[in-house]
Structures are given as structure tokens and as C-alpha cells.
């Protein structure tokens, strides 16, 4: 009987020792200093490669959005000119409120073309008579910048571009210069197209007229 009790106590002691040994073998450990430094170095390399690419994507998206807004205004102006049978302007913006009728009307800002378009633009139906504001686009910010010699576009009732009569060219530029600019053209017929997208040559082989920048 005594032998069985001693054997039972010995077995319990061995089990306890076994559990302590197993617990010590599976104890979790943290990062060593070397592993932490390696992780930081790898993360730094990934960020160095990824940040410039993300910046390019953001700049391209801004340029595309601004070009699309300009194309929307031009298409709308031509459509409204034909539908209403009156001339319609796309011009540098300066909005006003008609206090008599409480109808939003528009007034073109003819202060200049280059740089002025970044103040935003308006689509105005029948500018020489009732002058109804059809659509407006607010300030675009400092980049991208709209570069053009046209102070405004005027579509006739037939949808042709009467001012400027020989068509207009808009270059959408940012700090990357001519090679990354987008060119938007409006023909004398009133039809518009993107003739150059960022990173590609213009269909006529001409470079964009982007301003010089050190950025």
C-alpha cells in the first residue's frame, strides 16, 4: 500500500515537471532588434517606390477631371445653342444674381485668357439678350493650369464656333511640363476632341504650351 502511495506521488511530481517543461518550450517571444531594423528597412524601400507612383496617379486624375469638366461645358454649350436657336458662350467665370427676377445670371470675366480659366468658367445662353446662366464651374486651384489664347468660346445657333472662328486649343498642364500635358481642341465646326493625353504626343506633332516651372 505504501509503495502504491509513493508511486502515485512520484507520478504527480513527474506530470507537474512535464507541464512546466512544456510551458517553457512554447513561451512566446518578441522581435529582436535586428528583426525590427530589417522590417523598418523593407518598409522604407516599399514607401520609396510607392509614394512617387501614387503621386503620379493623383496628378493624372486631377488633369483628367479638369479636362472632362471643360469638355462638359463645351458640349453643353453647343447642344444648348442648337436646341435654343441662340448663341451660347463658354467664358471665364464671374457670377451675378439678378435682383429683379432672382434668377442666377452670368457675366463673363474678360480680364484675360491664360490663367484666367482657373478662376472657373460659365456657360451662358443668349449672352447679348437675356443672358441666362446654364452651367458653372468654380475655381480649379493652382494645378493643373489651363493654358489657352481663347478668352471665351461662342457657339452660334447652328452649333458652329463663331468665336474664335478658327477654333481653340486648351492645354491642361501641371508641374511635369509639356510631356505630361493634355490637349483639348475645339474645331470651327463646334466639334471637340482630346488630341493629346498625358505622356503621349499630339496628333499634329506640336508640343503643349505649358509654362516653365521649377516644381
Amino acid at each position: 500500500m505504501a509503495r502504491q502511495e509513493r508511486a502515485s506521488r512520484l507520478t504527480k511530481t513527474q506530470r507537474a515537471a512535464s507541464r512546466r517543461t512544456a510551458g517553457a518550450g512554447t513561451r512566446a517571444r518578441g522581435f529582436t532588434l535586428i528583426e525590427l531594423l530589417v522590417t523598418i528597412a523593407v518598409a522604407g524601400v516599399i514607401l520609396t517606390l510607392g509614394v512617387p507612383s501614387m503621386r503620379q496617379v493623383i496628378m493624372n486624375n486631377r488633369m483628367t477631371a479638369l479636362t472632362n469638366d471643360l469638355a462638359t461645358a463645351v458640349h453643353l454649350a453647343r447642344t444648348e445653342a442648337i436646341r435654343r436657336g441662340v448663341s451660347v458662350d463658354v467664358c471665364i467665370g464671374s457670377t451675378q444674381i439678378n435682383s429683379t427676377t432672382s434668377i442666377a445670371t452670368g457675366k463673363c470675366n474678360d480680364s484675360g485668357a491664360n490663367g484666367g480659366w482657373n478662376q472657373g468658367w460659365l456657360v451662358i445662353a443668349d449672352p447679348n439678350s437675356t443672358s441666362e446662366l446654364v452651367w458653372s464651374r468654380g475655381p480649379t486651384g493652382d494645378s493643373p493650369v489651363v493654358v489657352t489664347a481663347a478668352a471665351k468660346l461662342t457657339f452660334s445657333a447652328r452649333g458652329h464656333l463663331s468665336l474664335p472662328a478658327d477654333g481653340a486649343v486648351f492645354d491642361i498642364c501641371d508641374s511635369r511640363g509639356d510631356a505630361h500635358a493634355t490637349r483639348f481642341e475645339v474645331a470651327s465646326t463646334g466639334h471637340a476632341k482630346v488630341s493629346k493625353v498625358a505622356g503621349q504626343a499630339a496628333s499634329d506633332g506640336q508640343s503643349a504650351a505649358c509654362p516653365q516651372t521649377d516644381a
Side-chain angles (χ1 to χ4, degrees), residues 45-121:
V45 172
I46 294 174
L47 287 174
T48 301
L49 296 175
V51 169
S53 298
M54 181 59 66
R55 180 173 180 269
Q56 296 292 325
V57 170
I58 293 173
M59 295 176 79
N60 287 339
N61 287 343
R62 287 176 178 172
M63 189 170 293
T64 299
L66 188 58
T67 304
N68 289 342
D69 284 350
L70 184 58
T72 297
V74 169
H75 177 73
L76 177 61
R78 184 171 187 268
T79 301
E80 288 297 303
I82 296 172
R83 185 179 71 85
R84 297 172 183 239
V86 297
S87 62
V88 176
D89 284 351
V90 182
C91 61
I92 299 170
S94 177
T95 58
Q96 294 181 335
I97 299 296
N98 186 319
S99 59
T100 303
T101 59
S102 298
I103 298 174
T105 60
K107 181 180 179 180
C108 293
N109 183 347
D110 298 324
S111 59
N114 283 338
W117 288 88
N118 280 69
Q119 299 173 24
W121 49 83

Side-chain angles (χ1 to χ4, degrees), residues 19-28:
R19 285 196 296 270
R20 288 195 298 270
T21 302
T26 58
R27 184 180 300 167

Side-chain angles (χ1 to χ4, degrees), residues 195-213:
S195 61
K196 176 185 183 299
V197 297
Q200 296 184 7
S203 58
D204 57 6
Q206 297 181 2
S207 297
C210 292
Q212 295 295 323
T213 176

Side-chain angles (χ1 to χ4, degrees), residues 138-196:
T140 66
D142 297 331
S143 181
V145 62
V146 181
V147 180
T148 180
K152 69 177 178 180
L153 307 180
T154 300
F155 290 90
S156 69
R158 298 180 59 187
H160 294 168
L161 191 63
S162 58
L163 183 70
D166 56 350
V169 176
F170 295 83
D171 288 321
I172 316 300
C173 307
D174 59 20
S175 60
R176 295 173 295 177
D178 295 354
H180 292 271
T182 298
R183 172 164 291 176
F184 178 73
E185 296 185 51
V186 186
S188 58
T189 58
H191 295 287
K193 65 176 181 178
V194 175
S195 61
K196 176 185 183 299

